[in-house]
Amino acid sequence: MTNDILLRAAEISKSYAGVHALRSASFELRAGEVHALIGENGAGKSTLIKIITGAVESDGGEIKLNGQAIKHNSPRMAKQLGIAAIYQQPALFPELTVAENIAVGLEQKGPWARIDWRARRRHAAELLAQVGAKIDVNAEAGGLTMPQQQLVEIARALGAQAKVLIMDEPTASLSEEDTQNLFNVIRQLRSQGVGIIYISHRLEELPVIADRVTVLRDGRTIDTRLMSEVDRQQLIQMMVGRELSAVFPKKDVALGEVVLELRNLGCSALGVHDINLSVRAGEIVGLAGLVGAGRTELAQIIFGLMPADEGEILLRGRSVRIDSPAQAIASGIAYVPEDRRKHGVILPMSVCPNITLAALDQLSSFGSLNFRREKEIAIDYTRRFGIKTPSIFAPVANLSGGNQQKVALSRWLVTKPAVLILDEPTQGIDVGAKAEIHALMSELAANGTAILMISSELPEILGMSDRAAVIHDGTIFGLLDRADATQAKILALALGHQLTDAG
C-alpha cells in the first residue's frame, strides 16, 4: 500500500423520497490498498458505491480519481476510467455461455466484426483460472450455482484491468476453499497497485484481507481506522452505535412434540438420499455442510419444489405426500430461500403485497381482497422487523439487501407456519440486522415453531442451533447436540470424516 490517494469521495449526500441515504459521507482509497467499507444495512454503503460507479447521481459532494474531479459520471465513464464493481447479486445473462458473459463489455467490436470464438473461450478460461474457478466456459450462466456466478463476475472484472475494484459481499456464497482462492487473487491485485473497496458483513474476514476500514452509520462516515488497530467489538459498536451483547441470542426452550420427521428421504434427481432427521416444536436444527453437499436440495424436497422419490415425510406423526409448494404451505411448511432477489421477493412489487403474498387466501372472501387488512398486516410486520422503507407502497427493489430479507421472512411468518425452513437467513446482512433476525428466530422457537436453518456460517450454526445436522455427499453424515458441537467437529463431518470417541 502506498500513500498515493487513488480515489476520494468527499462530502457525498443523497436522498430518496425524503429518506437520507448519505449525509456528507467521505471515503478515500489508496493505490495498492484493500479498504473495507462496513455498516449496517441501510447505512449508505450501496448508495455510495452506486455514486462512485456512476449508476446514481449524488445530490452534493465531489469524487476525484488520481486528483482529477469526475464530472457527469456515468457507468460508461466509470468503466473507461478503470472503475469496476462486483455486486452481491450476480448480474449475468442466463442464456449466454460463461465465455460470452465474460466477453460482454471486454471486447470492443463493431456489429459486423468477426468473432474469434476460440480466442474468446481461451481468454475466459485464463481469467477463470486466475480466480481458481473450475467452470466450463461453454456452460450457460443460468445453470451455474450462485458461487460459480460470482466467480464468473470476478473473472470478468479482472479482465477489465480495473484501477479501482469494488467488491460487494464477494464471499457471501463462496465455500472456504473458494474464499481463500479469492483472497489470493485480491492480494495479487493489491501488489499490482489496484485499489480495492471491500464490502462485507463477515467481520472475521477483515483482519485477514483489509488494510484499513471505514464505518458508515445512518449515511454518515463514523471513522476510518487501520485494520490492525481495531477489533471486532469496536467495529460492531461503531456500526450500531451501541454495545452489542449478543449476536446469537439463543434462548433455552422446552421442546415439544416432533413436528417434522424425515425417514429415508431422497430424490435421485437432486443427489439426496437416506435422510433421517426430526425437528421438534421449539427446536432449531442447524443444517451444515459444504456448498453442493445437498442442503438446499433437501429444503427443496421438503417444500415440494422437487418431490421425493424415496422415503417419507411425517408431520406430527402423520405421513404426508408433498408434491408442490402449495401442498407444503397447506401443511404448515414455510421456506425462505437462499437467493432472496430471485426467489424470496418480487422486486418490482411494493412492500405491502410482498409481505402478504403467501396469505392471500386468509385475506380474501368470495374472490375479493380485504385491502384494509392487507395494509394493517404490512404495517405491523414492517414495524416489528424494523424494515427501512419510505412507505409500504415503495418497490422492494429500492430496499437494501437486509431489508429485502426481512420482507421475505415476513411473508412466510404471516402464514404462521408450524415448520420454518430458513436457507442462509442472514447471508449478506449486517451484524445488527443479523442479531434482530436471530432474536426473531428465538422468539418463534419459544412460541413452538420447528425451525430448520441452513447456514454456511459455523458461528451461526453453533450459536443458534439446538442440534447441528451435517450433510456430506447428499446425506446426513453426523448429528451433534448443542453441547457437543464445535467448528472442528462440524468441518470434519462436512468433509466426510467420521468422528472418533475423542471428538
Side-chain angles (χ1 to χ4, degrees):
M1 179 177 67
T2 70
N3 291 322
D4 298 333
I5 302 301
L6 179 61
L7 177 80
R8 173 176 279 127
E11 302 295 318
I12 304 297
S13 296
K14 182 65 181 178
S15 296
Y16 295 100
V19 176
H20 293 282
L22 290 173
R23 303 169 185 258
S24 299
S26 297
F27 180 86
E28 67 174 28
L29 177 69
R30 296 170 182 166
E33 173 189 34
V34 178
H35 194 145
L37 180 63
I38 66 172
E40 293 190 87
N41 286 322
K45 305 184 302 297
S46 295
T47 302
L48 180 58
I49 294 310
K50 289 176 181 177
I51 291 171
I52 291 173
T53 57
V56 169
E57 185 177 354
S58 67
D59 297 334
E62 184 179 53
I63 297 176
K64 290 183 177 181
L65 184 68
N66 288 321
Q68 298 296 315
I70 301 176
K71 298 185 182 298
H72 309 296
N73 197 15
S74 67
R76 179 185 291 271
M77 177 179 288
K79 183 179 177 182
Q80 292 173 345
L81 292 172
I83 300 173
I86 302 164
Y87 293 105
Q88 182 178 343
Q89 301 296 332
L92 303 179
F93 294 100
E95 294 82 9
L96 298 184
T97 67
V98 170
E100 289 167 338
N101 267 285
I102 290 177
V104 171
L106 297 184
E107 296 180 1
Q108 304 298 325
K109 295 180 180 291
W112 307 112
R114 183 179 178 183
I115 297 174
D116 187 339
W117 292 98
R118 181 175 295 177
R120 174 180 283 185
R121 288 190 289 268
R122 182 173 62 252
H123 186 218
E126 290 171 353
L127 291 173
L128 288 168
Q130 289 184 43
V131 298
K134 299 177 182 178
I135 301 173
D136 182 2
V137 297
N138 296 311
E140 286 192 357
L144 302 181
T145 64
M146 187 178 291
Q148 289 175 324
Q149 290 183 46
Q150 286 190 327
L151 290 173
V152 171
E153 284 231 89
I154 293 167
R156 183 166 63 184
L158 294 181
Q161 298 181 337
K163 301 174 186 175
V164 175
L165 183 59
I166 301 165
M167 294 186 166
D168 186 3
E169 300 288 350
T171 65
S173 299
L174 300 186
S175 67
E176 181 62 27
E177 180 181 357
D178 288 333
T179 296
Q180 293 306 316
N181 287 336
L182 173 62
F183 285 174
N184 289 335
V185 172
I186 290 174
R187 294 183 184 105
Q188 178 182 345
L189 292 171
R190 177 171 56 187
S191 68
Q192 296 170 358
V194 176
I196 299 170
I197 302 175
Y198 191 91
I199 303 172
S200 179
H201 292 307
R202 294 184 172 181
L203 301 184
E204 66 276 8
E205 293 179 349
L206 304 189
V208 178
I209 199 64
D211 301 298
R212 290 192 295 165
V213 57
T214 291
V215 180
L216 294 184
R217 185 175 75 236
D218 297 329
R220 295 184 173 90
T221 301
I222 301 302
D223 201 358
T224 296
R225 304 276 292 275
L226 287 173
M227 201 60 235
S228 59
E229 296 178 354
V230 65
D231 60 29
R232 185 174 186 272
Q233 188 59 35
Q234 290 172 314
L235 290 177
I236 291 173
Q237 186 172 356
M238 285 190 283
M239 286 170 62
V240 301
R242 63 187 185 276
E243 291 286 350
L244 191 65
S245 58
V247 177
F248 306 108
K250 182 73 174 72
K251 299 177 181 177
D252 291 328
V253 175
L255 303 184
E257 64 177 339
V258 173
V259 178
L260 174 68
E261 185 176 0
L262 313 176
R263 292 181 180 174
N264 301 312
L265 194 71
C267 175
S268 56
L270 295 180
V272 175
H273 59 95
D274 302 313
I275 297 291
N276 290 282
L277 183 67
S278 64
V279 188
R280 307 173 74 91
E283 184 178 29
I284 300 176
V285 174
L287 200 58
L290 302 180
V291 173
R295 299 169 304 166
T296 294
E297 290 78 3
L298 176 58
Q300 293 173 343
I301 295 170
I302 298 171
F303 196 61
L305 290 167
M306 284 292 288
D309 54 20
E310 65 180 31
E312 62 179 338
I313 299 174
L314 291 86
L315 292 173
R316 291 194 167 91
R318 182 174 62 88
S319 181
V320 295
R321 178 70 188 177
I322 299 177
D323 292 321
S324 68
Q327 289 179 327
I329 295 169
S331 300
I333 300 174
Y335 172 43
V336 180
E338 173 186 11
D339 190 342
R340 58 175 171 265
R341 292 177 64 88
K342 189 174 181 180
H343 301 123
V345 293
I346 301 175
L347 294 173
M349 191 179 286
S350 69
V351 172
C352 182
N354 260 289
I355 288 177
T356 60
L357 190 59
L360 292 181
D361 58 335
Q362 302 174 25
L363 301 173
S364 303
S365 179
F366 302 104
S368 178
L369 184 64
N370 187 334
F371 290 103
R372 180 178 177 181
R373 180 58 183 151
E374 180 187 45
K375 181 179 177 181
E376 291 173 349
I377 291 174
I379 291 173
D380 177 42
Y381 277 84
T382 298
R383 288 174 177 168
R384 285 177 57 188
F385 283 17
I387 298 172
K388 294 181 180 179
T389 175
S391 162
I392 61 171
F393 302 112
V396 169
N398 293 349
L399 305 186
S400 67
N403 285 305
Q404 288 178 3
Q405 184 75 329
K406 291 179 182 180
V407 170
L409 188 54
S410 298
R411 173 189 297 172
W412 292 110
L413 295 185
V414 171
T415 68
K416 300 188 180 345
V419 177
L420 178 61
I421 305 172
L422 301 172
D423 194 348
E424 304 288 359
T426 62
Q427 178 176 285
I429 290 179
D430 65 75
V431 68
K434 183 175 293 190
E436 291 173 2
I437 288 181
H438 288 158
L440 178 63
M441 289 170 58
S442 291
E443 179 184 337
L444 292 169
N447 291 332
T449 305
I451 299 176
L452 183 62
M453 178 189 69
I454 301 169
S455 179
S456 298
E457 297 186 24
L458 291 184
E460 186 169 58
I461 291 286
L462 295 170
M464 291 303 299
S465 305
D466 294 292
R467 289 184 297 153
V470 185
I471 286 190
H472 170 73
D473 197 22
T475 194
I476 292 180
F477 201 73
L479 193 61
L480 299 169
D481 289 331
R482 179 179 177 85
D484 296 329
T486 64
Q487 290 198 27
K489 289 181 179 180
I490 291 174
L491 280 173
L493 291 169
L495 293 168
H497 301 155
Q498 290 286 0
L499 299 180
T500 63
D501 291 340

